[in-house]
Amino acid sequence: MSGTNRPNTTLTRRSFLKAAGATAGTMGIAGAAGMLAADDWLAPTEAYAEPEERVAYTYHQAHCRGHCMLKCTVRDGRLCLIQPNDKAKEGLQTVCLKGLSEIQHVYSAERIQTPLKRVGERGANEFVAISWDEAMSYFAENVRKCWDAYGKQSVFVSIAMESEVASELGKLLSASMDTVGGIDVGYANGLAPIYGGAKRSGPLGAVSAFNGVTDWMNCKTLLFVGMNFIESSLTQTKPFFDAKDAGMHAIAIDPHYSTTATKCDEWIPIEPGTDAALFLGMITQVLDNGWYDEAYVSAHTSLPFLVSQADGSLLRDHAVDPAAAAPEDGAANPFLVWDDEAQAARPAADVESPALEGTFTVDGETYTTVLSLLKKNQQSYDTVWASKVTGIPADAIESLAERYATGGPACIAVGYGGNDKYGNADIAGHAAGLLAAITGNIGRAGGGVGYPGFGYGSAGLGAWPLAEDMKPSTLAVPAFELPYVDSPVKCFIGVGDQIQQRFADLNKLDEWVQGLDFIVYADVYHSTGAQYADLVLPICSRFESDEALGGVRSNKGQVMLRQQVLEPLFESKTDFAFERELARALGIDASLPKTNEERIVRMLDTAKDAKVAGITLEELQANQGVLPYRAPSAVPFSDGKVPTASGRFDVYFPDLVKFDQALPAYEAPEETGADSKLRDRFPLQLCQMRTRFHIHNQFCDAEWIRQYSTAALHLNPADMEQRGLSNGDTVEAFNDRGSFACPVVGDESVRPGSARIFEGEWSKFMNAGNIQNVTNPGISDRGRALLNGPVIPYNDTLVEVKKA
Ligand SMILES: Nc1nc2c(c(=O)[nH]1)N[C@H]1C(S)=C(S)[C@@H](COP(=O)(O)OP(=O)(O)OC[C@H]3O[C@@H](n4cnc5c(=O)[nH]c(N)nc54)[C@H](O)[C@@H]3O)O[C@H]1N2
Ligand SMILES: Nc1nc2c(c(=O)[nH]1)N[C@H]1C(S)=C(S)[C@@H](COP(=O)(O)OP(=O)(O)OC[C@H]3O[C@@H](n4cnc5c(=O)[nH]c(N)nc54)[C@H](O)[C@@H]3O)O[C@H]1N2
Ligand SMILES: [Mo]
């Protein structure tokens, strides 16, 4: 990796002369040069009497929920100071230690400096440096080979959330794309059908039933369920503490004494993977005590609807045609309820107080209300049962249910980690949504259920119009099943480190990877996935751009601009520049914008959402690259409109009758469940979670961050003692799928019977192997029938641990 474009070659003549002429009064050039010998490409900024300084604004990473707007000071070509952008909205003038660490991290030794072509065996990590021109010809040649031999869907594009504009790459190549990703959809699979959330267009679908963290000011009781907010939403924790100061009672339900649990009023430890049982127990308690809101249930939910005893379908005005192109909604084909006065089944909209319970005969068939069926269903799920499954004392479940139902408005904030990464997460989501629905906590200020978003709704910007035929191909196989099933995919393009992050069971993955024709890795850092690639491409960080403008985004109630802070370091390019180069090499660049500025202006000009429409580039530039949304957001569903088939909260799922899940029915986790046979050999559940120090695999290499966080397996001291382990020992964690090794640390906050680790650690920072060597790729048949497909049950993983 020699001959790269070192930044000190871009030193201006003026600053060079100044550096050369510096005297002992400042810092001598000899001293500065000595200090900088280890990284000789750094400009010796310390040596200048009058530094050349400028300020520019950009946004930082988004996946940690931060997307902080940063004010960056560049001195003599080097990034030297990072502060929050003081024009950002109040409460969003944030930066965390990850942002501050960028002063060092953008210059990390792990940056990919130049395009690299594999020379050794796949996986051996041996490459030679090539030019961008060579890289693009090589890329285009291999894509064409795949197109000719197997068709366009043989090229698969997988994109990290952080990459910019790279989703266009999938369209550009008409490639197969990651539509069913198996990640962050577990709870949503059970929640979204209740409020009509669309199929994964955002994490919880197009609409969420979470009101936004700023609405916690109206909340009296907050449940964090498998949500370590203080670490995984670090820069947006202020609304939480403000609400607590205003009297909100917060409860963390978590197997471990998480950072969030330490900041809550109560911590309720729970057996991993059993959230559904807790919610089911709470529902029974609420129903038995009549704590549900009858008026709300009658008017806003499907609980009064009539279920056929024969086949579990809902009674409608006329029979549903299974072959119909689009399903009929409640306006075209009303859902019926029982009208006591008329002694007949009538459209829900026409009956003010429908029968909530009872069994009725309509046209000779027997029907029961959803509520009656629920009460029957719940007979198996009393609090004693829930206590056995969750390990939470029955009286604690009872008081929790009472507080939630009677101490509202109450909000349930669920995590994308925790139980979301279990095959039974949809059942937990269904039960959580049902609990919120019967207590009237959806569509109400201070209520809500779902993953905690910031609360300004999304406000999409426009898009650059590509040529008509530039659409992704459809892939019948869910992306994460690619390694394990037959598929047409022969070429894998990972934008961001997808091979390590988006699959489980890395050893199995390895076999698949060896059989592929061509693998590309386009990333900022040389992380684990790079080692499998045939071609590695250097993308630049959010601080760098070859043009004055690098991008535009809309998030957390603001439109944000990425200005050029630095010129691209080394030979790196923006995602946009890389895509344009590739399109040019393939001769398909005609419909692409010529510049990033052109693209940004178009995205702003064609934005339709009233919250962002009319915001111009000039206005953004005049306000340090950030502007607040123009219209406030309302509490979702507070207008009484729910985009489900019935227009109400649909808590009964007729499509899942065949899986016995029309109403939530408990299912234990497959691998880690109490009855699992594997428990004898691998007694520890492996919990993988986030840390405020990393974003998945990002910042693992950042030296300033490494002072605080390096790879370690955390065990309860009792489990350490049982295995004869001491703090700092190198241990091997293993199961039948594989193993990894790293230091072990005793930690009282870890639940006995679990081992805990921060996911995303690069292989090179482990003593051996990768966390992903042991993770569970298993998926269920029911999973395939769910709204967003099955989940990768990362946390449903058992291991044993021994001294390495
Ligand atoms: N074992 C285990 N695995 C897991 C999980 C788990 O709990 N356990 N969690 C899963 C979850 S929830 C998720 S969301 C995924 C996340 O996995 P990813 O979606 O891959 O994570 P990101 O943080 O979005 O992206 C990380 C990559 O993008 C690169 N990158 C950063 N900025 C840019 C850019 O501007 N351009 C380009 N091209 N690349 C950039 C980073 O260097 C990094 O390699 O991981 C999943 N993997
Ligand atoms: N700093 C930082 N922030 C991030 C990310 C990051 O990588 N770094 N990643 C982002 C992404 S993509 C995601 S998906 C989110 C995830 O963020 P979170 O949803 O907060 O997920 P985790 O940190 O995995 O786990 C949350 C909590 O669940 C607990 N838990 C584990 N198993 C169970 C269980 O079975 N039941 C219950 N009730 N609790 C359980 C864990 O102990 C942990 O405290 O974070 C986002 N924010
Ligand atoms: Mo995620």
Side-chain angles (χ1 to χ4, degrees), residues 63 65 183-184 416 421 690 696:
H63 219 170
R65 318 302 175 212
I183 285 173
D184 299 341
Y416 282 141
K421 289 180 166 34
R690 331 293 132 175
H696 306 289

Side-chain angles (χ1 to χ4, degrees), residues 63 184 226 228 232 253-256 273 275 415-417 690-691 694 696:
H63 219 170
D184 299 341
N228 196 7
S232 62
I253 295 154
D254 196 305
H256 313 286
D275 291 5
Y416 282 141
R690 331 293 132 175
T691 160
H694 298 161
H696 306 289

Side-chain angles (χ1 to χ4, degrees), residues 170-432:
K171 294 182 197 156
L172 206 64
L173 302 178
S174 306
S176 301
M177 285 185 74
D178 190 355
T179 49
V180 183
I183 285 173
D184 299 341
V185 295
Y187 258 90
N189 271 336
L191 270 172
I194 295 179
Y195 53 74
K199 196 172 163 77
R200 187 183 166 133
S201 66
L204 279 188
V207 193
S208 167
F210 189 83
N211 300 355
V213 298
T214 43
D215 177 59
W216 279 339
M217 276 315 260
N218 302 310
C219 173
K220 289 277 169 290
T221 299
L222 169 66
L223 272 52
F224 279 120
V225 186
M227 166 39 16
N228 196 7
F229 191 73
I230 309 289
E231 302 260 354
S232 62
S233 300
L234 179 63
T235 55
Q236 59 184 51
T237 49
K238 192 171 180 294
F240 167 73
F241 290 106
D242 288 347
K244 268 196 78 196
D245 287 347
M248 177 180 77
H249 185 90
I251 304 167
I253 295 154
D254 196 305
H256 313 286
Y257 191 49
S258 65
T259 312
T260 302
T262 68
K263 307 293 178 210
C264 286
D265 300 285
E266 285 180 62
W267 167 48
I268 302 182
I270 185 169
E271 181 62 26
T274 67
D275 291 5
L278 171 65
F279 290 124
L280 286 168
M282 288 170 73
I283 291 170
T284 305
Q285 189 68 9
V286 169
L287 293 177
D288 286 356
N289 289 283
W291 291 329
Y292 56 98
D293 183 337
E294 281 202 13
Y296 182 93
V297 159
S298 298
H300 299 298
T301 75
S302 62
L303 284 155
F305 291 3
L306 297 168
V307 181
S308 153
Q309 203 170 59
D311 62 10
S313 64
L314 289 172
L315 182 62
R316 313 272 305 251
D317 178 72
H318 52 267
V320 174
D321 173 8
E328 291 173 304
D329 65 15
N333 186 7
F335 290 82
L336 305 190
V337 295
W338 187 257
D339 183 348
D340 271 330
E341 236 165 75
Q343 283 295 300
R346 296 183 52 219
D350 301 345
V351 185
E352 204 169 308
S353 11
L356 274 177
E357 292 180 62
T359 295
F360 310 95
T361 307
V362 182
D363 296 335
E365 297 274 346
T366 310
Y367 292 89
T368 307
T369 67
V370 173
L371 182 60
S372 289
L373 210 59
L374 176 68
K375 285 195 168 174
K376 187 160 159 262
N377 193 48
Q378 289 297 126
Q379 282 170 8
S380 331
Y381 305 129
D382 62 17
T383 53
V384 175
W385 167 84
S387 169
K388 259 191 224 138
V389 178
T390 60
I392 305 170
D395 57 356
I397 298 175
E398 287 156 18
S399 359
L400 181 66
E402 180 168 7
R403 188 186 271 277
Y404 177 78
T406 64
C411 168
I412 301 175
V414 301
Y416 282 141
N419 204 148
D420 202 75
K421 289 180 166 34
Y422 274 94
N424 66 3
D426 58 302
I427 305 169
H430 192 175

Side-chain angles (χ1 to χ4, degrees), residues 472-693:
S473 300
T474 352
L475 179 70
V477 182
F480 62 88
E481 285 197 77
L482 285 172
Y484 323 111
V485 298
D486 283 336
S487 88
V489 172
K490 295 285 180 193
C491 166
F492 183 92
I493 302 172
V495 185
D497 179 1
Q498 299 302 279
I499 286 189
Q500 159 170 302
Q501 285 302 131
R502 295 299 189 97
F503 300 92
D505 196 357
L506 201 52
N507 290 321
K508 264 272 182 56
L509 184 79
D510 213 50
E511 290 165 28
W512 175 67
V513 159
Q514 299 299 344
L516 289 175
D517 287 12
F518 190 58
I519 303 173
V520 180
Y521 173 92
D523 199 303
V524 190
Y525 295 91
H526 203 108
S527 154
T528 304
Q531 78 191 54
Y532 299 95
D534 302 307
L535 179 65
V536 174
L537 297 171
I539 304 298
C540 60
S541 76
R542 293 276 208 290
F543 297 84
E544 299 147 59
S545 173
D546 53 343
E547 296 176 45
L549 295 175
V552 66
R553 289 223 166 163
S554 149
N555 193 8
K556 291 169 84 174
Q558 344 182 84
V559 176
M560 307 176 283
L561 207 54
R562 164 175 165 183
Q563 298 176 343
Q564 180 193 54
V565 178
L566 301 169
E567 285 186 14
L569 292 175
F570 321 103
E571 298 290 330
S572 68
K573 287 189 190 296
T574 59
D575 282 307
F576 170 70
F578 144 57
E579 284 168 41
R580 200 179 42 200
E581 297 289 309
L582 178 65
R584 203 172 284 155
L586 282 163
I588 53 170
D589 58 328
S591 67
L592 281 185
K594 299 286 170 289
T595 65
N596 233 331
E597 176 163 340
E598 202 183 348
R599 186 177 68 89
I600 290 164
V601 168
R602 175 79 185 214
M603 285 171 74
L604 290 168
D605 285 355
T606 56
K608 292 205 176 67
D609 195 309
K611 296 199 201 85
V612 291
I615 289 181
T616 63
L617 179 58
E618 291 69 34
E619 232 183 315
L620 273 169
Q621 291 281 41
N623 200 50
Q624 299 182 179
V626 59
L627 282 171
Y629 289 173
R630 297 199 150 141
S633 301
V635 167
F637 316 116
S638 54
D639 58 0
K641 289 190 188 126
V642 188
T644 52
S646 74
R648 295 163 170 239
F649 298 114
D650 276 342
V651 296
Y652 182 85
F653 302 168
D655 292 349
L656 295 188
V657 168
K658 56 179 173 295
F659 298 101
D660 219 8
Q661 289 289 353
L663 288 167
Y666 188 69
E667 207 173 76
E670 211 147 283
E671 182 161 317
T672 60
D675 298 335
S676 163
K677 293 195 182 61
L678 280 177
R679 279 252 177 206
D680 296 343
R681 288 163 59 221
F682 309 115
L684 296 168
Q685 180 254 352
L686 183 70
C687 169
Q688 302 129 61
M689 58 188 282
R690 331 293 132 175
T691 160
R692 64 187 180 279
F693 293 108

Side-chain angles (χ1 to χ4, degrees), residues 19-292:
T23 60
T26 57
M27 183 190 265
I29 184 71
M35 268 175 62
L36 296 163
D39 39 359
D40 62 327
W41 48 268
L42 294 185
T45 50
E46 293 88 339
Y48 310 145
E50 286 166 59
E52 268 191 348
E53 206 170 85
R54 64 184 192 88
V55 165
Y57 299 89
T58 186
Y59 40 79
H60 199 224
Q61 308 309 80
H63 219 170
C64 54
R65 318 302 175 212
H67 232 155
C68 299
M69 282 298 306
L70 303 179
K71 175 182 181 183
C72 308
T73 304
V74 177
R75 187 176 294 163
D76 287 310
R78 178 164 168 121
L79 179 59
C80 69
L81 178 66
I82 291 179
Q83 296 163 289
N85 184 336
D86 56 337
K87 290 278 164 94
K89 278 172 83 124
E90 209 202 311
L92 293 178
Q93 296 173 7
T94 53
V95 63
C96 83
L97 56 191
K98 296 186 286 295
L100 297 175
S101 78
E102 292 286 23
I103 292 173
Q104 182 273 327
H105 187 229
V106 292
Y107 304 104
S108 160
E110 298 297 336
R111 279 288 297 262
I112 302 166
Q113 300 191 4
T114 173
L116 298 167
K117 185 177 170 181
R118 176 172 68 85
V119 285
E121 292 281 297
R122 251 194 205 139
N125 228 354
E126 286 165 29
F127 299 97
V128 285
I130 56 172
S131 70
W132 267 99
D133 281 349
E134 287 171 300
M136 291 301 101
S137 319
Y138 182 53
F139 197 150
E141 178 195 325
N142 277 284
V143 164
R144 272 204 208 92
K145 265 193 212 158
C146 284
W147 282 355
D148 294 346
Y150 326 104
K152 291 203 164 167
Q153 61 164 352
S154 66
V155 176
F156 180 79
V157 173
S158 183
I159 292 166
M161 202 265 207
E162 297 287 11
S163 72
E164 294 237 3
V165 306
S167 59
E168 301 292 359
L169 184 65
K171 294 182 197 156
L172 206 64
L173 302 178
S174 306
S176 301
M177 285 185 74
D178 190 355
T179 49
V180 183
I183 285 173
D184 299 341
V185 295
Y187 258 90
N189 271 336
L191 270 172
I194 295 179
Y195 53 74
K199 196 172 163 77
R200 187 183 166 133
S201 66
L204 279 188
V207 193
S208 167
F210 189 83
N211 300 355
V213 298
T214 43
D215 177 59
W216 279 339
M217 276 315 260
N218 302 310
C219 173
K220 289 277 169 290
T221 299
L222 169 66
L223 272 52
F224 279 120
V225 186
M227 166 39 16
N228 196 7
F229 191 73
I230 309 289
E231 302 260 354
S232 62
S233 300
L234 179 63
T235 55
Q236 59 184 51
T237 49
K238 192 171 180 294
F240 167 73
F241 290 106
D242 288 347
K244 268 196 78 196
D245 287 347
M248 177 180 77
H249 185 90
I251 304 167
I253 295 154
D254 196 305
H256 313 286
Y257 191 49
S258 65
T259 312
T260 302
T262 68
K263 307 293 178 210
C264 286
D265 300 285
E266 285 180 62
W267 167 48
I268 302 182
I270 185 169
E271 181 62 26
T274 67
D275 291 5
L278 171 65
F279 290 124
L280 286 168
M282 288 170 73
I283 291 170
T284 305
Q285 189 68 9
V286 169
L287 293 177
D288 286 356
N289 289 283
W291 291 329
Y292 56 98

